Amino acid sequence: MLEVHQFSCLQDNYGFLLHDSATGATASIDTPEVGPINQALADKGWQLTHILNTHHHFDHAGGNEELKTQWQCQVVGAAIDAERIPGIDVEVRDGQHFAFGSAEAQVMEVPGHTSGHIAYYFADAGIAFVGDTLFALGCGRLFEGTPEQMSVSLSKLMALPDQTTVYCAHEYTEANAAFAVTVEPNNEALQRRVAEIRQLRAAGQPTVPTSIGLERATNPFVRADSPGLQGVLGMVGADEVDVFAETRRRKDHF
Ligand code: ZN
Ligand code: FE
């Protein structure tokens, strides 16, 4: 049985501990901030055995070396980005499966935010850690990739089962919602969700995790096929990569 423990780090990052109760294996998904990660381990009484990195940015891999020194844990990261993942021990590639305790993880290469970004999918538990690729009502900025790459990456994630629980690495949802309603004002599922998000945030609650099905219904970055979105952008019938690129461009200037 896998358990996820979620907590806040830095300004708006989330830390996640993933724990396999059968073996005691415990992973930190990325290492945004050492102090809160160690506090979370202490709170749960878990021993850190793994770090699973999604990408090289400092708010994701900045705590690798300190935690590795302290815990002698194994650092897993993308083979194609190995030189930028501090302390990497195990290099993984797209489609590769590896054992995490008694569970099985699957690696998905999802470039776009960075060229070496990966996601971790645990099919049996129905959970995915997507880093800065997919956010609730948003997606990562294209720092190192093309709209086409990101569009393919998001499609890969959207091919997971609807009920998959999606852990994204930042609480950006309120700002994403403010943008989403401008490009899909007539999406009723989005309107309902925005009301829920406002309530959650007003109560100091996280909007993460989300799910694949919820994003498919409400996130403009995975809705390039939506006639409503295409209409607002003046791109009815346009290529979906172009619609995605224009949506991303508008968000960058929002
Ligand atoms: Zn990042
Ligand atoms: Fe980040």
Side-chain angles (χ1 to χ4, degrees), residues 1 9 13 35 46 71-72 74 101 109 121 123 132-133 138-139 141 145 151 162-163 179-180 182 190 200 214:
M1 255 289 280
C9 290
N13 280 74
W46 295 343
W71 293 96
Q72 277 92 50
Q74 200 173 59
E109 287 176 358
Y121 175 51
D132 287 357
T133 297
C139 76
R141 281 180 182 265
S151 177
D162 274 357
Q163 66 276 14
F179 171 75
T182 67
L190 173 60
L200 283 169
L214 185 56

Side-chain angles (χ1 to χ4, degrees), residues 12-13 30 54-55 57-60 113 131-132 135 169-170 172:
D12 50 31
N13 280 74
D30 287 329
T54 63
H55 65 296
H57 284 158
F58 186 76
D59 63 315
H60 297 264
H113 177 67
D132 287 357
F135 293 123
H170 291 269
Y172 287 158

Side-chain angles (χ1 to χ4, degrees), residues 2-234:
L2 291 178
E3 180 184 340
V4 179
H5 178 57
Q6 176 176 329
F7 49 96
S8 292
C9 290
L10 303 173
Q11 191 75 15
D12 50 31
N13 280 74
Y14 283 120
F16 306 104
L17 293 179
L18 178 69
H19 179 73
D20 173 42
S21 53
T23 61
T26 302
S28 181
I29 311 302
D30 287 329
T31 56
E33 195 179 6
V34 172
I37 292 169
N38 275 328
Q39 184 61 53
L41 288 162
D43 290 345
K44 301 299 286 186
W46 295 343
Q47 313 277 317
L48 190 67
T49 57
H50 294 73
I51 291 167
L52 306 183
N53 277 129
T54 63
H55 65 296
H56 73 88
H57 284 158
F58 186 76
D59 63 315
H60 297 264
N64 277 20
E65 277 171 337
E66 191 176 341
L67 286 167
K68 185 176 172 177
T69 301
Q70 184 183 343
W71 293 96
Q72 277 92 50
C73 56
Q74 200 173 59
V75 179
V76 180
I80 52 173
D81 221 0
E83 64 290 345
R84 295 196 293 184
I85 304 293
I88 191 167
D89 298 302
V90 180
E91 301 182 9
V92 293
R93 292 181 185 279
D94 192 46
Q96 190 176 329
H97 294 240
F98 66 91
F100 169 73
S102 64
E104 188 179 63
Q106 185 183 325
V107 178
M108 300 172 76
E109 287 176 358
V110 285
H113 177 67
T114 67
S115 56
H117 199 301
I118 57 176
Y120 297 91
Y121 175 51
F122 295 82
D124 292 341
I127 61 182
F129 296 96
V130 300
D132 287 357
T133 297
L134 176 66
F135 293 123
L137 293 180
C139 76
R141 281 180 182 265
L142 304 184
F143 288 123
E144 300 175 7
T146 64
E148 174 143 39
Q149 278 179 318
M150 188 56 133
S151 177
V152 170
S153 295
L154 292 171
S155 299
K156 279 167 86 167
L157 294 174
M158 285 301 121
L160 298 175
D162 274 357
Q163 66 276 14
T164 306
T165 303
V166 176
Y167 292 93
C168 16
H170 291 269
E171 181 61 59
Y172 287 158
T173 315
E174 226 170 2
N176 290 340
F179 171 75
V181 295
T182 67
V183 288
E184 234 189 350
N186 298 323
N187 180 340
E188 284 175 21
L190 173 60
Q191 288 164 7
R192 283 194 299 275
R193 188 174 183 197
V194 169
E196 259 168 53
I197 287 162
R198 291 212 176 104
Q199 281 184 349
L200 283 169
R201 295 309 293 154
Q205 298 294 311
T207 63
V208 172
T210 177
S211 73
I212 292 296
L214 185 56
E215 294 312 311
R216 179 72 186 106
T218 57
N219 183 333
F221 296 95
V222 294
R223 292 178 53 77
D225 60 345
S226 155
L229 173 64
Q230 292 180 359
V232 168
L233 299 181

